[in-house]
Amino acid sequence: MDTSAKREQWLALIAGAADADALAAVDRQLFGQKGEVLELVRSVTSLPKEERPAFGKAANLLKREVEQALATARERFEAEALKRELTAGDFDPTEPGRPWQGGTLHPITIVQNELVDLFQSMGFRQEDGPEIESEYYNFDALNIPGDHPARESQDTFWLDDGNLLRTHTSPVQVRTMQRLTKDGFEPPLRVIVPGRCFRCETVDKTHEHSFYQMEGLVVDRDVSVANLIHTMKTCLRVILERDVEVRLRPGFFPFVEPGFELDVNCPFCGGKGCSVCKQSGWIEILPCGMVHPHVLRQGGIDPEEFTGFAFGMGLQRVVMLRYGIDDIRQFMGGDIRFLQQFSEVPR
Ligand code: DAH
């Protein structure tokens, strides 16, 4: 059977389509249901057996040729449409693109990442704990007595089920010791716990209801206050980007004995006295102390054999000192102009 007449006819149809819509109609006519090309291919079954192979081959070649012609015509219409769009009045292809507005890291995240890197380089492991905490881990395990004012609802967000929003990261001390000693682990133990904490606090320049701490815990044989001071000095030197002097004053926290307030020499006046350090030359930076035997025992560690130190750094406080930020409310105020001043991009 001669297919050349059909070929001419179909190629002419395609060539004659004036636009994309007309071409789509030709496509349907040839390849849709009962499409002419498909019908031709199918008609092979009505032929005598000996004619079938030759016809089938010719019909398939023709089908492919027509498909190709359709595709070429379609691409031509698409290219024309794009060109029209690009040259339409209000589109200027030479206009520079809009710069991509990438986010930057929050200053607390920047400092937290640096601290985690630093402590990891000193052999600490990072731990995590729940923000919804039990009374036991937040208070009892830490030797905080039942009548301690921190337990009052003026200080702590209590939940209806008796749990609470953790008021500090210290509960993760006992959680971590318990988890490790359960599996037969023995000190040395060095952990840091960055995390968010909550207090029922009236918000002002220096107080937030949600804030970030970084807890540290070291347990080993013969751990001393000297180890604590050395570790804190190393850490503050890196974070404040300068050499630092520190001093310890007594501070009371039920989960350490002795407990300290650690001060750093004022970065603003270098120790001479200024309004930031209230003329004292020192700034209170973090509470710390030697881990109380009760806490070690709760964690499954024998206080006769091991000692340890712990610290609880208020991350906002460190960030404020480092960047000279004077209002803690900036951190969660959502003012993009504040946030854009810290240009570190996410890693
Ligand atoms: N958890 C205490 C708080 O939030 C801070 C603290 C004090 C943590 C002394 C410690 C520590 O690890 O040794 O007020």
Side-chain angles (χ1 to χ4, degrees):
M1 183 185 170
D2 186 9
T3 53
S4 62
K6 294 249 180 241
R7 178 177 177 277
E8 293 297 315
Q9 184 197 335
W10 289 336
L11 293 181
L13 266 178
I14 293 169
D19 56 26
D21 287 345
L23 191 67
V26 173
D27 192 350
R28 279 194 299 278
Q29 182 185 337
L30 304 183
F31 290 97
Q33 255 186 2
K34 299 245 164 89
E36 292 172 22
V37 177
L38 298 183
E39 292 288 293
L40 179 79
V41 174
R42 278 184 212 123
S43 69
V44 70
T45 51
S46 61
L47 292 178
K49 234 185 169 134
E50 55 291 0
E51 289 178 28
R52 286 184 193 177
F55 180 84
K57 193 171 170 197
N60 273 315
L61 279 175
L62 177 56
K63 175 176 170 237
R64 223 170 294 155
E65 187 184 357
V66 177
E67 276 171 346
Q68 188 56 51
L70 261 174
T72 307
R74 200 178 297 121
E75 278 165 25
R76 200 183 65 237
F77 285 130
E78 280 168 4
E80 282 172 8
L82 185 63
K83 196 165 163 202
R84 269 197 307 282
E85 205 178 296
L86 291 179
T87 50
D90 59 352
F91 185 83
D92 176 4
T94 67
E95 185 183 306
R98 288 199 195 111
W100 178 67
Q101 271 280 332
T104 54
L105 290 182
H106 193 280
I108 297 177
T109 310
I110 295 176
V111 171
Q112 181 178 310
N113 285 347
E114 275 181 34
L115 280 165
V116 168
D117 282 352
L118 170 71
F119 278 105
Q120 278 178 348
S121 78
M122 297 196 288
F124 285 68
R125 55 196 278 168
Q126 184 176 342
E127 290 287 338
D128 199 7
E131 291 179 352
I132 293 178
E133 190 49 283
S134 68
E135 187 170 6
Y136 166 74
Y137 282 111
N138 199 82
F139 294 124
D140 299 273
L142 294 170
N143 197 33
I144 298 175
D147 57 357
H148 195 281
R151 298 199 187 216
E152 303 273 322
S153 56
Q154 298 98 290
D155 284 311
T156 300
F157 291 113
W158 288 91
L159 306 178
D160 289 342
D161 63 3
N163 287 321
L164 50 91
L165 298 186
R166 68 174 176 195
T167 61
H168 50 181
T169 42
S170 305
V172 190
Q173 289 190 21
V174 174
R175 281 186 175 276
T176 303
M177 287 189 282
Q178 284 183 351
R179 203 189 69 237
L180 293 173
T181 53
K182 190 167 55 74
D183 294 336
F185 172 90
E186 287 224 331
L189 170 66
R190 299 188 199 93
V191 293
I192 43 160
V193 187
R196 190 155 56 147
C197 311
F198 310 86
R199 277 185 212 169
C200 189
E201 198 86 78
T202 308
V203 175
D204 64 23
K205 253 176 122 124
T206 53
H207 295 91
E208 260 291 3
H209 49 71
S210 309
F211 55 96
Y212 290 81
Q213 285 192 340
M214 193 157 93
E215 192 78 14
L217 172 68
V218 171
V219 181
D220 200 353
R221 289 196 168 79
D222 303 322
V223 174
S224 71
V225 178
N227 301 131
L228 165 63
I229 294 176
H230 175 76
T231 308
M232 293 298 91
K233 263 185 108 157
T234 308
C235 150
L236 291 171
R237 210 178 279 138
V238 170
I239 287 310
L240 300 178
E241 300 170 312
R242 65 182 176 90
D243 209 15
V244 295
E245 296 295 325
V246 300
R247 73 173 186 188
L248 294 182
R249 287 177 293 117
F252 176 67
F253 304 94
F255 37 95
V256 281
E257 177 58 35
F260 308 108
E261 292 287 357
L262 187 135
D263 297 343
V264 64
N265 58 335
C266 177
F268 299 102
C269 63
K272 284 199 237 40
C274 67
S275 63
V276 180
C277 60
K278 302 196 186 86
Q279 309 306 329
S280 72
W282 294 96
I283 290 191
E284 185 178 314
I285 185 121
L286 57 91
C288 51
M290 303 306 291
V291 183
H292 195 287
H294 171 89
V295 178
L296 290 175
R297 242 178 262 121
Q298 292 300 308
I301 291 176
D302 180 3
E304 298 298 329
E305 197 175 345
F306 297 102
T307 50
F309 69 77
F311 56 90
M313 193 183 301
L315 278 181
Q316 270 103 329
R317 190 163 172 71
V318 181
V319 177
M320 288 167 85
L321 267 184
R322 163 145 149 189
Y323 293 112
I325 298 166
D326 63 1
D327 191 334
I328 197 170
R329 290 169 292 197
Q330 293 279 15
F331 290 119
M332 295 206 297
D335 186 338
I336 202 84
R337 293 165 305 177
F338 169 75
L339 296 171
Q340 279 172 340
Q341 297 174 69
F342 309 92
S343 57
E344 193 172 315
V345 294
R347 44 177 163 167

